[in-house]
Structures are given as structure tokens and as C-alpha cells.
Amino acid sequence: MAAKKPAQRKAPAKKTPAKAPAAKAGAPKEELLRFYRDMLLIRRFEEKAGQLYGMGLIAGFCHLYIGQEAVVVGVQAALEDGDQVITGYRDHGHMLACGMTANGVMAELTGRIGGYSRGKGGSMHMFSREKQFFGGHGIVGAQVPIGTGLAFADLYKNNGKVCATYFGDGAANQGQVYESFNMAKLWKLPVIYIIENNQYAMGTSVRRASSETHLHKRGASFGIPGEEVDGMDVLAVRDSAERARKHALSEGPIILEMKTYRYRGHSMSDPAKYRTREEVDEIRARQDPIEMVRKRLFDAKYASEDDLKKIDREIKEIVNESAEFAKESPEPDPAELYTDVLVEERA
Amino acid sequence: MPVEVLMPALSPTMEEGTLAKWLVKEGDAVKSGDVIAEIETDKATMEVEAVEEGVVGKLLVAAGTEGVKVNSPIALLLEEGEDAGALDGAAQKATPPQPSPEGEGEDADARKPATAETSPPPPAGEGRGGGRPASKPASDPEIPAGTDMVPTTVRDALRDAMAEEMRRDETVFVMGEEVAEYQGAYKVTRNLLQEFGPRRVVDTPITEHGFAGLGVGAAFGGLKPVVEFMTFNFAMQAIDHLINSAAKTLYMSGGQMGCPIVFRGPNGAASRVGAQHSQDYSAWYAQVPGLKVIAPWDAADAKGLLKAAIRDPNPVIFLEHELIYGETFDVPAVDDWVLPIGKAKVRREGSDVTITAHSRMVGFALKAAEILAEEGIEAEVIDLRTLRPLDTETIIESVKKTNRIVCAEEGWGRCGIGAEIAAVVTAEAFDYLDAPPARVHQEDVPLPYAANLEALSLPGVDDIVKAAKAVCYRE
Ligand SMILES: Cc1ncc(C[n+]2csc(CCOP(=O)(O)OP(=O)(O)O)c2C)c(N)n1
Ligand SMILES: [Mg+2]
């Protein structure tokens, strides 16, 4: 309750936190290059979405993932085909990481028929059964019991799959999260809870909203282990997710608290008075997840400046094409208004 | 006097049972907790314990008797110092029940609840003793001639209402997500933290269910919480406390536990935010006894009714609208602008058709009335302002004059506010109607994101015009 000066959090600790073993010294060239590419795709995609929003082509809420790219890309590397993913409304990066197309996501942002929800869902509500991406949820915390239920179905079917359930530091205070934890542990459900601790829930810093700020400890009273992970380091993320996946299959739920940071405002209109410009700049300059991989690629002599420029150009092309597609794709037919309310044969 | 041992009920629905077996005989001494008999129904068997100390004076019902009515005496216990002579009077008074052969020939009256004649008169006082409260809501206060009218946004009017009530009453505090340091997600609580400090303007975690319940507890504890939901969509996380805790406890406590709390925030569709962020909950809350539900349109009403809501000793659901926060209206510069809850306002007089609306739809209804006027149809526009209690009197009066009604609302039509009004008008002014009541509402689908579909789904000025013409049998 005590209101103090607007939060001025220190940058997250630079060193890899003690609990998680340091990232494996390296990664094979191909994998590092793929990480670079996947993270860059998310960043450029989000920048483009920001532009289209500014042009009035995207409306409503639009929560960008810029700064947090290493989290989904690292986790996805540890998942296997058929594993499920579910998250909240800051979901564009997750969808791209799951292999959903930039075109389909961007066209949903513009509310067109070519979008994943045929224009009916928008930024916060997108899904792909094919890619096992279960949304896309606008209500903070609601995805946590649903993700737990996906894991319940996995165990029920004994299919050897796990559900990666993402939520924010703010969502971590919702009661339903703890109801889920209890059931997940009780029934040993194969679920990985990934808390994307980007330090803020809208304008509220973790310190101002949470009595226990080490969110990975939040499972303690349920006997669910937790790990704090440097969420800016894609290799540390991947390693932790690999351990977590094994754990989820043999022991049940586990919590990964990804220490990360969002560079942009909460949504598109955010006065951002709750943190300083310097704080943001400092993290961008010292811990940027993409720069980190770039440096690793250079250091290991896996890639030259030119190699990466080539990737940059490819990405730019994909993103530009998605923007074109999203502009050209027509609005849904008025008859779409009445479809999909209940399961019925499509005419 | 000997103590009567009564036939107990095994369940809330049990009316009679079988006295299977006596475990004591006359003359036995028993103490509290001793098992004295076994009874059974078709569903269960249960032991009957003595609840007093004494000597079994008389067994009134023989073992094996079926159809023994719940609460009828089955035995008499003699208390210390009493002798068998005491049984005589008592035995007559407590006539043992005659077991019915099929166990079914029951006395219908025995189970009837007390009737009006037999129940004690209700305590004096407003709103007690069944039926609707008799008192009529007061009318709006007169605005003295020469009063300054101050152009104010709805947003600031709401803020002013909270600030004034907080100055006036130390127990009023504001709580919610981002209400303090961020100054409100929609800036409705701007500067409250600066004036009243963090003790009274409280930022919460994202924990709607928790802080709504906490607010109810604080209200039971003597405070007057104003709980902001960032939007009412998120109140779905908390709706259990709004209904089960806030609305019902006064009743369940026989009038002891009043819950003076206001739950407020934007309700209804914003712009292009999709289905989970765009629902109108007017009808949901308006259905619940124990709540008051307010949904104002202009700034003066927003201020006067929020002040009234904060002072009201009941839980009030105060539904605002994001898309009118920024609109400016005149607010009278009087010292204490408080409006009556439960009173609709005739926004425009007319003789041809009545249009009811609340919240943002009032603006649309007034625009529709202008268009209709150009075509020679004079519409009377009623701003409902309060949805519970609903000012049906104003509506009925109007319909008696216009003989036609269009009920407009932003939310879904099924079981909606318009459905309720149509039912009331049909029941109470049937003979005055020249056309069936018409309803204007959102399409019966979750709100889509796509711009064209969203526009098709939400009701607007044209829909009201069309409906009004239809009930006037024009075009
Ligand atoms: C139940 C509910 N309450 C409030 C909101 C409004 N809201 C949307 S995002 C958000 C902040 C969530 O922060 P966090 O969980 O940290 O996720 P982040 O935005 O940082 O990714 C809030 C309060 C909501 N969508 N749902
Ligand atoms: Mg956050």
C-alpha cells in the first residue's frame, strides 16, 4: 500500500543468477544463427506493427514484445513438436516463435480476413490449433488454469507432451494462478510455468505489487520448484527450458522466472512515467538479447557482418510482405459477424 | 414440566420418518449425548441423542411406527425432582401423532410457512415488510437561477465526485489497479493520490477477486470503499464477491451487515479491443436484488450520482463508459451536487414515441430524436440513469402519452434492460400501446475486432431511428 516515488528499478543483475547453472559455453553455429534470426523476426515484426498502429491500420490494444525476444525463442528451442503454448495478450512473439506466419498474425492485427482469427480476434486473441498455440488471452492470468488444463489433457492422453504456460509478473498475483499450481502439483501435470518478469505490470513495478518479489519462489508452498533465469540470454533460457521440460514430464510442474524487460510502453498509449528513460536505455545498451547473440556469433567467428546483414534483409522482406498482405487482405465479409458463435457447419 | 423429545429431521427436506427402535425404556436415566432411539427414512438411518439429562418418563411413539412427522414429540423426559405425576398434563398436550397407514396422509397445513396473518408484523421502517419500498425517489435538486454552469468532462466530474466525498468523509477511500501513482488507467483518479495520499488512494496488485472481497470486508468494517475496476470486463474475476458477498449479506444477516461500497469503472464497448474487453454488463448486475446499479450519461449526472452512490449504505455498481470519459457537459457549480438514485430523467419531451436509453446510448437517442423530428416524429427521450431500482413510473407515464416505445441499449438483447422495460410496459400500460415495444441492442454475437464487423455489431443512431419509425408505422 505504501506508495513511494515512481519505481526506479535497478537494471536486472547482469550476471547469470546463482540458481541456474550458467549457459552452456556455446551453441552450435546453426542454432545460434537460428536464434538470431528468430529474435530479429520478432523485433522487426513488432516495430512494423508499431508503425501500422501509428498509421491507424491497427487499433485497440497492441502490446509489443520488443526486448523480451530471448524468452520465447529460447523456450521454443527446448519444446518438441506437439507441445502446447499459451500466453496472455502480449502474444505476437509467441506466435511467430511457434511457427505461425507473419502474414497471418499481421493481418489479424489489421482485422482482415487473412488473419488467424479471420479478423475477429485482433492482437490479443489469436490461435492456431495446427501449431498448438492456444492463445492469446485478454484477461490477465486466465491463461494459467487453461494451460494447466492443456497439460491435464497431455497426461490424460499420456502423449509425452508438455504445455508451456506463459504469464507476466503482474499476472503472478492472480488467485487462479495458485489454484492452478495446487492442482498441477497434486496431479503431477506436465506444465512449465514461465513467468515473464519484465519488471512491470502496466505502471506497477514488481516491488510495488508483490510481497515476495522472487516470483520463482511462488510455488514453494505447493512443492513446485522454481528457477530464476536470465531472460535476456537466449542460451540460458534454452538450457533452463530443457531442464524444465524433463522435469515436467517426470515430476510435474516447474516454474521458470525469466528476468526480462520490455522496451516499449505497456500498450501503444503509455505515458511511461513510472520508469526513467535512462533505465530503458541502460538495459538496451548492456543486455539486449539480440546484440548478445550477435556478439557471440562474431566472437565464435560463426558469422561475418555481411552474413548477418543478409539475414537482416531477409527478415525485412518477410516483415514488409506481411504488412502488405495485412493491408491488402480484405475486411471480413459482413456474414462473418454471425458465424463461429457456436460450432455449426460452415455454409 | 417434562421435556419433550422431538422427532428430528435427517435432512432439510425430510418431513417424516420411521421410529425404528427405542434404545431406552421408561424409567431409564439418560444424560445428554446418550443414544435413545434410532430413526430412519428411505435414505438414511440416524441415532437420536438425548439433549438433556433426566429420566425417561414416557415413550409416546411405539417402536416400528412409520410416518412420524418431524418435530412431533416422541418421548417425555422427567427433569430432576419431577415425578411421574407431571406426565399427566403434558401427555395430553402432546398428543402422539397417529401414524398414517401409507405414511403419506399428511396434514398439508403443518408444512405451510407462516401466513401473513400468523407471522409477526414487520418492523416499521422503510423498505421492510415485503413488496417494493414504498418511498418514491426524490426529484433532482433545483438549480438556483444564476448558478454557474461549468463545462466539465465526464472524467473530471467523476474525479470531483470522489474528491468531494473523500474530503467530506474520512472513511471513503479509493482502491484499484493503477489508481494512484499512474493516476488511473483512464485518468479518472487523477490527482487523488496527490491530495489524499497513499493511505486513501491505494494501488492494488492485479488481483480483482482478492481486492473486491477485501473491499467488502473493509465496508463491513466501517469504511466506504470506492473500488475501481480498470474495466468491468475484469470484474468478472471478482463477480462472486459483488454478488455473493456484497449484494446478499445484508439479507442473510437479517439486516445487520450493510455493505456501503461502490464498484465503479468503464463498462461496455471501447474501440476495437475485441470480445473479452468489450462487454456491457448492465443487465447482469441489474438483475441482482441487493445491488443498486447506476449508468449515467452526462457529466452532471456522473458527478451527482457518484456522490449519491458513495453515500448510499448499499453496494452500488457504477457503470461508466470509456468512450464518453472525454466528452464535456455543463455541471452546475453548487456546493454539494447530489442526485437521487432511482430516478430517470426526461432528456427531451415528445409526443409520438418514447425512447429509453442509458449511458452512451443516451447521446445516440438524442441524435436519433433530432433526425426523427426532421421527419415529423417527436420522440421523448428518457435517460434511465439508474437501472436498479428502475424508474418504471417515468417510463409508464411517458408511454401513456406517446403510446409507443423503443428501448435502446448497447449490450445484448437477450434478457436485457430493454427486455425488462418491454415486459413492464406491456404489463402495466398494455392498453395504451399502439405498437409492440421495440428493442435496439447489440447483435447477438461476441464483439468482433474487425472494424467493419464491430460497426455492424454495435447499435447506433440509425438503428434507433429505424426502430422508432417502425413502431410509428412509418416506412
Ligand atoms: C483481469 C484483468 N485485470 C486487468 C487487466 C488490464 N491489464 C492488462 S495487462 C495488465 C498488466 C499485466 O502485467 P504483466 O502480467 O506483468 O504482463 P506484461 O504486460 O508485463 O507482459 C493489466 C493490468 C486485464 N486485462 N485483465
Ligand atoms: Mg510485466
Side-chain angles (χ1 to χ4, degrees), chain B residues 427-464:
Chain B
E428 296 182 24
F430 187 71
D431 291 340
Y432 293 88
L433 284 173
D434 286 345
R439 290 186 283 157
V440 172
H441 49 75
Q442 194 194 128
E443 290 296 320
D444 196 26
V445 299
L447 199 70
Y449 167 74
N452 64 328
L453 298 187
E454 187 190 65
L456 283 173
S457 180
L458 288 172
V461 176
D462 292 346
D463 300 295
I464 301 175

Side-chain angles (χ1 to χ4, degrees), chain B residues 150-189:
Chain B
V150 185
T152 311
T153 59
V154 171
R155 171 180 285 117
D156 288 348
L158 293 164
R159 194 267 321 275
D160 293 348
M162 286 186 278
E164 287 179 22
E165 293 306 298
M166 289 175 86
R167 282 175 210 131
R168 192 178 158 268
D169 181 348
E170 238 276 315
T171 65
V172 177
F173 73 99
V174 174
M175 181 171 69
E177 291 161 21
E178 309 287 0
V179 297
E181 294 198 3
Y182 200 82
Q183 306 285 296
Y186 297 101
K187 302 289 170 274
V188 177
T189 51

Side-chain angles (χ1 to χ4, degrees), chain A residues 68 89-90 168-171 196-202 204 206 262:
Chain A
Q68 302 180 212
Y89 43 84
R90 196 178 300 287
D169 48 282
E196 297 199 58
N197 182 352
N198 61 8
Q199 328 283 338
Y200 295 95
M202 276 183 81
T204 303
V206 172
R262 77 168 145 72

